[in-house]
Amino acid sequence: MSEDLVNIEVDGVAVRAPKGAMIIQATDAQGAYVPRFCYHEKLSIAANCRMCLVEVEKAPKPLPACATPVAEGMKIFTKSPRAIAAQKATMEFLLINHPLDCPICDQGGECELQDLAMGFGRDIARYSERKRVVKDQNIGPLVSTDMTRCIHCTRCVRFGQEIAGIPELGTVGRGDRMQISTYIEKSVDHELSGNIIDLCPVGALNNKAYRYRARAWEMTQHPLVSPHDCAGTNLYGHVLRGRLMRVVPRANEAINETWIADRDRYSCEGLYADDRAGRPMVKEGGTWREVDWETALEAAAAGLQKVVREHGAGQVGMLVSPAASLEEGYLAARVARGLGSENVDHRLRRVDFRDQAGDPLAPTLGCSIADLEQASALLLVGSNLRQDVPIVAHRVRKGVLRRGTRVAFVNPQPIDVLFPVEAQLTSNGYGMAQHLAAILAAAVRASAASVPAAVGPALEGIAPTAEHERVARMLTDGELRVILLGALAERHVAYSEIRALAAALAVATGARLGFLPEGANAVGASLAGVTPHRGVGGRAVAKPGLAAAEMIGARLRAYVLVGGIETEDLPPSFGVENALRGADCVVALTPFAGADHLAHATVILPVAAFAETSGTWVNVAGLWQSVPGAARPAGEARPAWKVLRVLGNLLGLHGFDYLSSEEVRDELRNEIGEYAPSPVAGSFAPGRLAALDATRDVGIYAVDAVVRRSRPLQETAAGRSARGGAA
């Protein structure tokens, strides 16, 4: 017998279970279901509800399966008369104060209490005394409460303490006066807080925005992928009569486990904003008029052809959202290059392109997302991790608390990370590049490693502090060490220096270099050739075009904006509004016709938004994820890949004959072929590093047009703070 396994019996069947496992884990592994409320595989054991009582041979009374470890020779009975009687008695007790409001409860149809009451509840309640009533609480704009339904399983409390890292909910009172409550009103505002809705087994906590809109059995369920960050979080969209009603987690242990960020859960509220574009529009004489699709597409094609004919193809710029699908990005780049322009880019907020030739083929993580919680050391450079990629932040926190992962940050200013860190290196006279140079200098001093000749001058005059030396030692200790460059680094005016120093540091310490880029499909866009210096698969182009910020600075004659791009998505210091206003032709493929587009565009082509179109997204770990469309596009909106296909035909370009997005994806995949993550070839570094950290922060609920239109998200503390309101 293996020392790690014990022999037990479950309902008369001999099985082997891991030593130290709880009974409920052993029975789940054997397919012997034990009812439960408080137990959840991702949370600590509370043993509050007692619904999981089972009979164990020779035990004087039924035992809680969630809190009783297996032992050699143990005989467990999950369906014996004694076990069933104990479970039914527990159910009767739990229902004593529960209101009979299933007809109006949003949890109805997917309620664990409702399901178990059917199996273990009595036909007639014996309790005739007055029921307890608990006042509902306003815990914020995201989660509604019906606290009389609460059975004190404490899943929500444990989630805040163990997963979120912020104990937003807790228990107050004792005995029959016990309640789940917040310490401060409207304080449930963590970026993962909506997960307590999924955890609640009784309908005490519900989605406030979705409440009373639909019943679970009325909706159809469709797989989705998050369009708001590079993690590629797996989601389900629930659709009623073509309208996306809500978003819930789709379990994927390799990416998001069973959690999703609030940004993913509530962004669907932005899909149906008042300024949603429903029909194509053309501006004539400064006045907008709605037209049919044929007229609008012909106007767009004619405007682009005129600019090419009169001013040359170099005056056309193609800007693609980093959240656009792989198919949309690929076709957009093909349209631009078909016109003769290499001005195509998805890196909308980046401002430093001096050394873009040294960028990796695709800005991947350097490992899987799950590997991050197994890492021995992580150095995050220019990353507000909780804000940029909440799911990755959870993984890192989990690694720190459970495995002792050592984490350090290099940022323009301190950030709240909710776990202990080795160091937070912020400006205070140093810039991010200077901090990296100091860590590199300390690493070189300790190991006598060599550095690239171009990086050497950056180390002159650098005096590492004890913190720099500690971080350098951290990066040389353990099996998996990772250096990650985040969104703040990517937007930095000295990104070339930061990336070159990070690459040299990775070589000097033996760590991996990875990226946390902006946008849900930054990796896919890079592979699809949505950059001015590389085509499909990273193949170099003969004459690189202009990058995104350079297109704006050059005041081109024509721009094509793909994926709902607004001026907020571009660097403000480059005169975005003046550039767009001064162009002869601005074609906007957008789900929204907001003031931004109405002011600057000449043609608005309404396209399907997130969840309304099929497509493929490549996450930061390099995983390709294709999903079908779930909801019906608003009005006459069409999938962007279809619009680009027809636009390519009208422009007389070859090879725009696709019948499905799958055809586009398969063609691109074949063209890319097999690829491996490329090393960073950065070689640029000046002799003297600037101490200033000139970078632009973007709020968690301001990353794209859909999120900015989500009312619940904008009513959170983070949303109000980003708009300049009181937090």
Side-chain angles (χ1 to χ4, degrees), residues 138-145 197 206-211 266:
N138 184 0
I139 62 175
L142 304 181
V143 182
S144 65
T145 64
I197 298 166
N206 287 291
N207 185 325
K208 186 178 277 190
Y210 159 78
R211 199 173 191 191
Y266 293 97

Side-chain angles (χ1 to χ4, degrees), residues 352-396:
D352 181 8
F353 302 95
R354 291 169 292 163
D355 196 31
Q356 64 177 353
D359 287 344
L361 168 62
T364 58
L365 200 59
C367 59
S368 71
I369 292 175
D371 283 343
L372 289 178
E373 62 185 80
Q374 308 297 323
S376 54
L378 293 172
L379 173 62
L380 290 111
V381 182
S383 176
N384 190 340
L385 195 59
R386 287 178 55 197
Q387 176 174 289
D388 296 342
V389 201
I391 290 298
V392 172
H394 158 64
R395 289 282 196 175
V396 173

Side-chain angles (χ1 to χ4, degrees), residues 269-290:
E269 298 298 316
L271 292 182
Y272 306 106
D274 293 339
D275 61 353
R276 186 67 198 270
R279 292 197 65 191
M281 301 172 68
V282 175
K283 185 184 287 184
E284 295 177 347
T287 302
W288 285 102
R289 69 180 182 95
E290 293 185 345

